[in-house]
Amino acid sequence: MPSLRLSDFKIGKLLGAGSFGEVHRAREKNKKDDVVIKSIAIVGVSRKEQESALNEVKLLAKLDHPRVCRYYASFVEDEKLRIVMQYCEGGDLRRHIETRQKAKQPFSADNVWRFLAQAAHGLAHLHEHKILHRDLKSSNLFLTRV
């Protein structure tokens, strides 16, 4: 994805927001697959925060594993770093846990082991690249399908 701009995408639903910025579902115009665009402010933040955001892009660009959300591209526009990544249509694991709890339908042991094994494979890949996740939790584990 060379020389991207935000106008190259149809921006959809806000998927998450926090102190880091926002994540939106999006689709590049004339493409069929959805992506997510993570937007991180790089102006008005400390030099350390700027370096951290740029370091995230460098790390993501090195990774290629079926259990790690795929990085596609990044660009800077409107004083924000935009990171284009794989959209995981299954949402996050936390949402599925909460839905199951409300319905009083816990996951089977097989499902729990499957989630755990897949997360461990993704983490092992990160560790092979000397990357420490630092925020491992169910809301940061994304599912491609349910």
Side-chain angles (χ1 to χ4, degrees), residues 109-135:
D110 285 346
N111 277 339
V112 172
W113 281 113
R114 188 169 42 91
F115 291 143
L116 184 60
Q118 291 177 9
H121 281 115
L123 279 174
H125 184 72
L126 295 180
H127 292 170
E128 288 169 10
H129 285 84
K130 308 287 190 246
I131 298 170
L132 183 64
H133 191 286
R134 297 189 339 153
D135 196 20

Side-chain angles (χ1 to χ4, degrees), residues 32-98:
K32 65 178 184 116
D33 293 327
D34 286 350
V35 295
V36 295
I37 298 179
K38 183 176 182 179
S39 300
I40 304 168
I42 56 171
V43 174
V45 298
S46 71
R47 179 89 174 152
K48 184 177 178 180
E49 290 171 308
Q50 288 177 351
E51 289 173 2
S52 177
L54 294 174
N55 190 46
E56 179 179 350
V57 168
K58 288 178 190 173
L59 293 175
L60 289 170
K62 292 190 330 184
L63 301 173
D64 183 18
H65 191 274
R67 301 294 175 244
V68 176
C69 289
R70 184 162 274 107
Y71 164 87
Y72 295 126
S74 59
F75 57 97
V76 175
E77 185 177 344
D78 299 329
E79 301 181 340
K80 293 181 181 178
L81 172 63
R82 313 288 183 160
I83 304 172
V84 183
M85 296 185 66
Q86 174 185 6
Y87 170 67
C88 298
E89 67 273 7
D92 66 69
L93 182 57
R94 179 181 176 186
R95 183 173 59 92
H96 289 285
I97 291 170
E98 289 172 349

